[in-house]
Amino acid sequence: PNHDVKKAVVLALGEIGEKSAIPIVKEFLNDPNWDVRAAAAQSLGKLRDLTSKSLLEDLARTDSDNIVRQSAEFALEHLIEK
């Protein structure tokens, strides 16, 4: 599928809180398209998936795209909110 479709699906999974999709969403953190990686990071934050913390920390430090790094930081903030 094209990246717009992947992005829409990943964001929808985060919005509806579909925790069973977490493993699939994690896979999109490695997508070649920055927009899809950013969406995956945001969704993991909305899903409050603590098992993704180290992946998101790595993404926040090392991704080549600034928006992806910011999205990972956003997700990390959501992980620690109550």
Side-chain angles (χ1 to χ4, degrees):
N2 77 33
H3 73 272
D4 289 331
V5 173
K6 290 190 281 188
K7 176 185 171 187
V9 169
V10 168
L11 288 174
L13 292 170
E15 287 296 322
I16 63 173
E18 186 54 55
K19 294 199 179 274
S20 66
I22 288 171
I24 296 165
V25 174
K26 283 181 180 180
E27 289 181 25
F28 286 105
L29 292 175
N30 297 313
D31 195 87
N33 186 277
W34 68 268
D35 212 11
V36 175
R37 293 192 311 276
Q42 291 172 12
S43 288
L44 289 170
K46 289 179 181 179
L47 291 166
R48 297 184 191 272
D49 177 43
L50 296 176
T51 67
S52 298
K53 185 177 179 191
S54 64
L55 291 172
L56 292 168
E57 288 170 340
D58 288 344
L59 204 63
R61 280 193 313 269
T62 64
D63 196 89
S64 60
D65 188 88
N66 186 49
I67 294 174
V68 175
R69 292 191 305 271
Q70 289 175 350
S71 295
E73 290 170 9
F74 162 86
L76 287 165
E77 289 172 10
H78 275 71
L79 292 182
I80 59 174
E81 285 180 3
K82 304 242 175 193

